Amino acid sequence: MTGRTIMIVEDDSEIRSLLADFLTREGFTAVCAEDGVAMDRALAQGRPDLVVLDIMLPGEDGLSICRRLRARTSLPILMLTAKADDIDRIVGLEIGADDYLPKPFNPRELLARIRAILRRSEAAPAAPDVPTRRMGFGNLVADLDGRAVVAQDGAAVDLTSAEFDLLACFLERPKRVLSREQLLDWTRGRNADPFDRTIDVSVSRLRRKLVAAEPQLADAIKTVRNGGYLFAIDVRTLSRGDGGG
C-alpha cells in the first residue's frame, strides 16, 4: 500500500509538517494544503488517494469542503475533529466522510485508519477466469469485488466506501438482525463505543440512496428496536451472465 498519495488539509503548520513527515516515513507521498483554496490548487495538479481533512480551517471549513468534494468525487475522506464535537463527527459522516479521528490522536491510529479506508476503497479486479461475486436485490445488482452497484437501466448508484461496506454486510447476511456493534466492527475494523452513532448515520444515507435508485426498497433496511438493523428483502447470488432484473 506504499506509494499512495495522501493530501493533508490542516491549517496548523506544525501538525501538518509532523503528519507529512510521518506518512512519508511510512512510504506514502504527502501533499499539504493549509486551507480549501490551497487544496483546490493541489487537486488541480493531480488526484490523491485519500484526503485527511481538518474541520476547523480558516475560510471555508472542513465540513463545507467535504460536502463539496463528495458532490463531485468518491475520493476517500478522513476527517479530523475536536474531541468534544460529536455533532461535527455525525455531520461529517452524514455528508459523506469515510471515517473520522478525534484530536488529539496517535499517529499510528491515523495510519491504521488510512490503511483501512484505502483497503476498503480498492476495487480489486477479478482474475480472468474467476466470476465476480454479484448479488441482486430488488432491481439492483451489487458487484462485491468491483465495489459497484447498478440499477436495471445500467445507472450507477453512487456509494461512498463506508456505505458500500455496510451494504455488503447486509447482502451477505440478509434477514438477520445485525447489531450496531457488529456492523461497526465489520465495516470499520474497530470496537464500537456504546455512544457511537456513526452506523445510524451511514444506514440513513444508504437507505436514501437505495430508495432514490429504486423506491420499492424503502423498507429494505429495517430498524430493530434494541437490536440493530435487518436487511428484509430477498438477495440473489448471480452468475456472470445474469442481469439486474
Side-chain angles (χ1 to χ4, degrees), residues 99 113 116 119-120 183-191:
D99 203 353
R113 298 285 183 94
R119 281 195 299 271
R120 296 198 303 263
L183 291 169
L184 191 60
D185 184 54
W186 289 332
T187 60
R188 299 186 184 276
R190 57 187 170 91
N191 294 326

Side-chain angles (χ1 to χ4, degrees), residues 66-205:
C66 179
R67 184 181 294 107
R68 180 160 61 82
L69 286 175
R70 188 54 72 231
R72 67 179 195 237
T73 179
S74 59
L75 181 65
I77 301 170
L78 189 157
M79 300 205 75
L80 302 179
T81 71
K83 186 171 185 179
D85 292 341
D86 289 343
I87 188 65
D88 282 345
R89 297 202 295 269
I90 292 171
V91 172
L93 291 165
E94 176 70 22
I95 62 179
D98 293 273
D99 203 353
Y100 66 86
L101 188 61
K103 292 180 176 180
F105 56 83
N106 185 316
R108 286 287 166 189
E109 182 174 4
L110 174 72
L111 179 63
R113 298 285 183 94
I114 288 173
R115 286 175 170 164
I117 294 171
L118 290 175
R119 281 195 299 271
R120 296 198 303 263
S121 64
E122 283 181 339
D129 297 324
V130 178
T132 58
R133 295 179 300 150
R134 299 171 69 245
M135 307 184 87
F137 56 106
N139 288 320
L140 302 183
V141 173
D143 178 347
L144 299 188
D145 295 312
R147 298 182 65 83
V149 179
V150 296
Q152 193 171 33
D153 61 2
V157 180
D158 184 23
L159 300 181
T160 66
S161 175
E163 291 159 2
F164 187 91
D165 289 337
L166 185 59
L167 176 62
C169 285
F170 286 130
L171 294 179
E172 291 171 337
R173 303 166 183 87
K175 300 186 177 179
R176 286 174 48 188
V177 177
L178 306 178
S179 71
R180 291 174 174 83
E181 290 77 12
Q182 287 175 315
L183 291 169
L184 191 60
D185 184 54
W186 289 332
T187 60
R188 299 186 184 276
R190 57 187 170 91
N191 294 326
D193 184 300
F195 301 104
D196 195 326
R197 311 309 292 178
T198 59
I199 285 297
D200 301 303
V201 174
S202 295
V203 167
S204 177
R205 285 179 54 84

